[in-house]
Amino acid sequence: MQRTATGLPFDDIRNLFLSLPAINAEAEAAARARQGQLVKPPGALGRLEEIAIKLAGWQGREIPRIDRPTVAVFAGTHGVAKRGVSPYPPEVTKQMVATFTDGKAAVNQICGVFGAGLRVFDLALDIPTRDIVEEDALTEAECAATMAFGMEALAGEPDLLCLGEMGIGNTTVAAAIFHGLYGGSATEWVGPGTGATGAVLAAKIAAVEAAVARCRGHLDDPLEVLRRLGGRELAAMAGAILAARMQRVPVVIDGYVVTAAAAVLHALDPSALDHCFAGHVSAEPAHARVLERLGMKPLLDLGMRLGEGSGAALSIGVIKAAVACHGGMATFAEAGVADA
């Protein structure tokens, strides 16, 4: 992928795609060989085997470890929320951030069960992005800076990064991003989100239609789609996914909104999400279709649609179990069991 330097803020982001690290093929092969020696029929642990092998490849060692799983929740506010696209008022975003900080949200409880750290990023909650129906959500400089800020999620050196979000109106901007990237009609991408029905759902569809129509001449560049139609939390999560790739840290993607941030990177380079897992498929109608387009099979399907990283956090249990089996089980030789 060739890039021409223009001196614009997105240049540094685009240039990172020139040097995306690949999986460590030697470690991946060693982990696959180990799976074949463990005391079980070949393939008997199903996807747990593939999870362990993928982690080994990205961590660069035959037996991976998950010692510092971290859930990073990015919170942003949206100008489009004033259009009544959600049954909840915009101030709920700040109220929920306070609930995360107090340890009283669902994601706090799930993190506690699996020993995961939780970091909450407040992305200028008092300054909503511009209303995407009328103007671009962010300037190029604002979007690039927010992506860079999202990269701070790696500062604590997690060995597994789970991404979540909070922002009234952000399923609207996520739907706009998918509509902008993939075409079709707005109704294909707009779902109930936090419970939109009737007039609220109609307002949501109308906002997505109008916003994408306004940006019609700029939809061939995924970063332009992100800045014009997205929000701060989506830009920050895209930056976090990209930074994790550069540091070879596996990432777990949560629901519909996080997947929209990931889809922007995938549109820039189809290999950009090779280090990622889809934590779950949400109840948002288009989420399963998007994951299929991205070539990602969710680890869980529990009908969840909460956001805040809850599905990604819950999948930590599955991932930890995969690692424990891979590293802790005996081989046929160690156990003195006859191989087939």
Side-chain angles (χ1 to χ4, degrees):
M1 181 183 298
Q2 293 184 341
R3 301 289 184 197
T4 301
T6 62
L8 294 174
F10 278 150
D11 280 358
D12 289 341
I13 302 297
R14 297 187 197 280
N15 287 336
L16 289 176
F17 284 85
L18 298 174
S19 55
L20 292 179
I23 196 167
N24 184 317
E26 183 177 339
E28 182 184 33
R32 193 174 299 280
R34 176 177 174 80
Q35 280 290 332
Q37 298 164 7
L38 298 180
V39 283
K40 59 178 176 59
L45 287 177
R47 292 188 66 199
L48 291 184
E49 299 183 16
E50 291 304 315
I51 291 168
I53 291 167
K54 180 171 177 173
L55 287 169
W58 284 106
Q59 291 189 357
R61 50 191 173 196
E62 178 184 340
I63 300 178
R65 300 183 57 155
I66 301 297
D67 297 324
R68 297 183 308 281
T70 297
V71 178
V73 178
F74 293 89
T77 49
H78 300 269
V80 74
K82 70 183 181 182
R83 294 183 175 272
V85 297
S86 170
Y88 294 93
E91 53 265 30
V92 167
T93 300
K94 291 186 72 172
Q95 293 165 356
M96 282 305 303
V97 168
T99 305
F100 300 148
T101 303
D102 291 342
K104 299 299 184 180
V107 70
N108 299 94
Q109 318 318 312
I110 299 171
C111 286
V113 169
F114 298 117
L118 176 65
R119 299 184 66 191
V120 181
F121 293 84
D122 173 336
L123 298 167
L125 295 183
D126 291 324
I127 308 173
T129 55
R130 300 167 189 89
D131 179 359
I132 60 173
V133 173
E134 298 176 348
E135 54 186 321
D136 297 338
L138 299 165
T139 66
E140 181 170 335
E142 288 169 339
C143 188
T146 306
M147 293 181 75
F149 180 77
M151 295 178 179
E152 292 299 314
L154 280 297
E157 299 185 351
D159 48 23
L160 182 72
L161 179 65
C162 302
L163 294 179
E165 43 64 37
M166 178 62 214
I168 296 302
N170 67 10
T171 57
T172 300
V173 300
I177 286 175
F178 289 127
H179 185 23
L181 290 176
Y182 302 143
S185 66
T187 54
E188 293 178 53
W189 305 110
V190 176
T194 53
T197 59
V200 175
L201 183 60
K204 193 172 180 180
I205 292 170
V208 170
E209 285 178 339
V212 174
R214 181 186 62 78
C215 299
R216 191 66 68 187
H218 305 279
L219 302 179
D220 58 341
D221 183 343
L223 289 178
E224 286 295 310
V225 172
L226 175 63
R227 82 163 184 89
R228 292 171 185 271
L229 297 172
R232 292 189 184 92
E233 72 269 48
L234 283 95
M237 291 187 295
I241 294 169
L242 189 53
R245 175 59 170 272
M246 302 309 293
Q247 297 183 34
R248 299 180 181 274
V249 175
V251 171
V252 184
I253 292 167
D254 193 46
Y256 194 61
V257 178
V258 184
T259 306
V264 170
L265 303 181
H266 182 269
L268 285 162
D269 185 332
S271 73
L273 305 181
D274 286 357
H275 63 307
C276 296
F277 298 93
H280 77 128
V281 58
S282 77
E284 191 73 359
H287 193 209
R289 190 164 70 251
V290 171
L291 291 177
E292 184 176 359
R293 184 183 282 264
L294 297 179
M296 304 182 78
K297 187 175 180 180
L299 300 182
L300 301 171
D301 182 357
L302 299 174
M304 298 172 68
R305 55 180 180 85
L306 178 61
E308 68 185 44
S310 54
L314 197 58
S315 73
I316 293 172
V318 175
I319 294 170
K320 280 192 164 186
V323 169
C325 290
H326 183 80
M329 288 177 66
T331 65
F332 283 104
E334 290 168 344
V337 175
D339 199 350

